[in-house]
Amino acid sequence: MSVDFIGMINARRVSEIHPPTGPALDKDYIRRFAQAHEAGGFDRILIGYFTNAADTLQVAAYAAFVTERIGLMIAHRPGFTAPTLAARQFATLDQLSGGRAAIHVISGGDDADQQKDGDYLSHAERYARTDEYVDILKRIWTADGPVDHEGRYYRFKGAFSDIKPVQQPHIPIYFGGSSDAAIEVAGRHADIYALWGETLAQVEETVARVRAAAAPHGRSPRFSLSFRPILAATEEAAWAKAEAILAETKRVRGQAMLGAAPDPANRGSQRLLEAAAQGTVVDQRLWTAIAAATGARGNTTALVGTPEQVAESLLAYYDLGVTTFLIRGFDPLEDAEQYGRELLPIVRAEVARRTGR
């Protein structure tokens, strides 16, 4: 099996060590960021969903306009757009981009964040709604005639979309969420199941759970794993760089904010903190210090070392069945350029050697 790499772009420069500055949407930065990933050989870029940020579909459309090849992975929360409309929106983007769209379905693990956009459903209800929502997307994308639907969360009659995705049978569906409810829905719908950068043992366990959930539906999803690689010419320099990033994270965020969510509601963050409880460094170079310091808000575990060492760690996950890696740095644009030069070629060469392709 080949290996894919996904990067992540923002509408402006921001990370744990870079507080947001300037306009909330910087077109030049989006262009340079997207083009850097394309030039670096990434397969796809994620446009994340944030309740205070620019609209993801429109940012993705602009990124498609300023690039030629790279795929677009749009984080999307069910519940805020009618699924019949969302199906047409994503199909339109897939047509305009020449078949480069993918949807990353995120049901939402934080009640307070969901409520910022007016969603007051419980965690379990959100996943039940997601199940119905994604089923509708796929039906609208593939239907030859009008569709009627009467479900728990959605009801419509005679829905049809003249515009269909370029990609058949439908746009790829990435799926995130680590709770039991999430795994169950992922088994029914995920083409690629995405999880954050956990330990080898945790990932092996999750891969087995998702495969077991998918098997009754005759499905076999791929797996994506997210890391924040920290690279340097020597291992000593890489660990020094990591410690500098941690110190800057603490300075930027302020001590009062560090660890402010010691018991986060979402299961993905809880699992990262469980990994952090095993030690600051696990599995030789999985670095958990940023996750521990920030309450594991998002993808916050790193692989630290030389490009060759980090590639070796990624390949250990590849051996567990992970064929997609979502990697982003703390210096977002600069790190994406470095990954393209120094990390992606090593991993791809080794995978080609192993597979004979």
Side-chain angles (χ1 to χ4, degrees):
M1 180 70 76
S2 62
V3 63
D4 290 340
F5 282 97
I6 303 174
M8 179 175 174
I9 67 168
N10 294 315
R12 60 178 170 178
R13 191 185 197 212
V14 61
S15 77
E16 289 82 355
I17 64 172
H18 294 293
T21 57
L25 190 146
D26 184 335
K27 285 177 61 178
D28 183 62
Y29 186 73
I30 295 171
R31 176 186 57 77
R32 291 188 293 120
F33 211 178
Q35 290 175 351
H37 282 90
E38 183 163 80
F42 283 79
D43 299 281
R44 197 176 290 279
I45 45 177
L46 168 66
I47 299 94
Y49 183 105
F50 303 97
T51 53
N52 64 334
D55 179 72
T56 54
L57 273 166
Q58 296 185 65
V59 172
Y62 179 69
F65 175 71
V66 298
T67 56
E68 297 179 357
R69 173 198 58 80
I70 198 162
L72 308 158
M73 175 177 161
I74 299 96
H76 184 76
R77 291 187 186 179
F80 304 113
T81 305
T84 49
L85 172 58
R88 299 196 303 275
Q89 290 173 330
F90 275 90
T92 301
L93 178 62
D94 203 46
Q95 287 286 342
L96 290 173
S97 65
R100 291 191 275 156
I103 183 171
H104 184 33
V105 179
I106 305 172
S107 299
D110 186 309
D111 290 347
D113 197 49
Q114 292 292 120
Q115 290 166 12
K116 291 177 182 178
D117 277 334
D119 182 15
Y120 285 82
L121 292 185
S122 69
H123 179 273
E125 288 177 306
R126 290 199 292 270
Y127 277 100
R129 178 179 62 191
T130 292
D131 189 17
E132 185 176 341
Y133 190 98
V134 177
D135 183 65
I136 292 167
L137 290 179
K138 292 192 290 187
R139 289 172 65 196
I140 296 297
W141 284 332
T142 58
D144 294 326
V147 175
D148 296 341
H149 177 83
E150 187 160 352
R152 180 177 175 183
Y153 299 98
Y154 300 100
R155 177 184 178 187
F156 52 84
K157 195 168 186 177
F160 182 73
S161 175
D162 285 326
I163 187 162
K164 302 295 185 186
V166 173
Q167 300 170 91
Q168 294 296 318
H170 57 71
I171 289 168
I173 296 170
Y174 290 73
F175 195 93
S178 296
S179 66
D180 290 341
I183 298 294
E184 183 179 347
V185 178
R188 286 193 287 273
H189 295 297
D191 297 312
I192 303 95
Y193 175 81
L195 65 159
W196 288 335
E198 301 179 352
T199 68
L200 290 166
Q202 286 177 311
V203 170
E204 186 173 24
E205 172 206 10
T206 298
V207 167
R209 289 174 65 206
V210 174
R211 283 176 172 164
H217 306 284
R219 308 186 67 257
S220 181
R222 295 176 64 187
F223 293 88
S224 173
L225 193 56
S226 300
F227 288 112
R228 312 287 292 276
I230 299 173
L231 308 179
T234 67
E235 184 173 12
E236 181 181 12
W239 285 111
K241 184 177 176 180
E243 290 300 327
I245 289 170
L246 178 60
E248 186 64 7
T249 297
K250 292 179 177 179
R251 187 194 70 79
V252 168
R253 298 185 67 88
Q255 292 291 343
M257 292 184 63
L258 295 176
D263 188 20
N266 73 83
R267 185 64 185 129
S269 292
Q270 291 171 6
R271 288 176 67 88
L272 290 193
L273 293 179
E274 289 167 8
Q278 298 180 40
T280 303
V281 182
V282 187
D283 294 333
Q284 191 173 8
R285 58 191 67 263
L286 177 66
W287 189 56
T288 65
I290 299 291
T294 61
R297 296 183 187 89
N299 167 27
T300 45
T301 51
L303 293 173
V304 182
T306 66
E308 293 78 11
Q309 290 171 329
V310 170
E312 182 181 19
S313 293
L314 291 175
L315 288 162
Y317 289 100
Y318 177 85
D319 290 338
L320 296 179
V322 176
T323 57
T324 298
F325 294 101
L326 195 163
I327 57 174
R328 63 188 180 99
F330 294 95
D331 286 310
L333 175 53
E334 297 83 356
D335 286 342
E337 292 171 337
Q338 184 184 27
Y339 300 155
R341 290 192 310 268
E342 301 177 10
L343 182 59
L344 272 61
I346 298 174
V347 177
R348 286 210 164 101
E350 177 58 20
V351 169
R353 186 190 68 80
R354 295 183 183 189
T355 61
R357 302 188 221 173

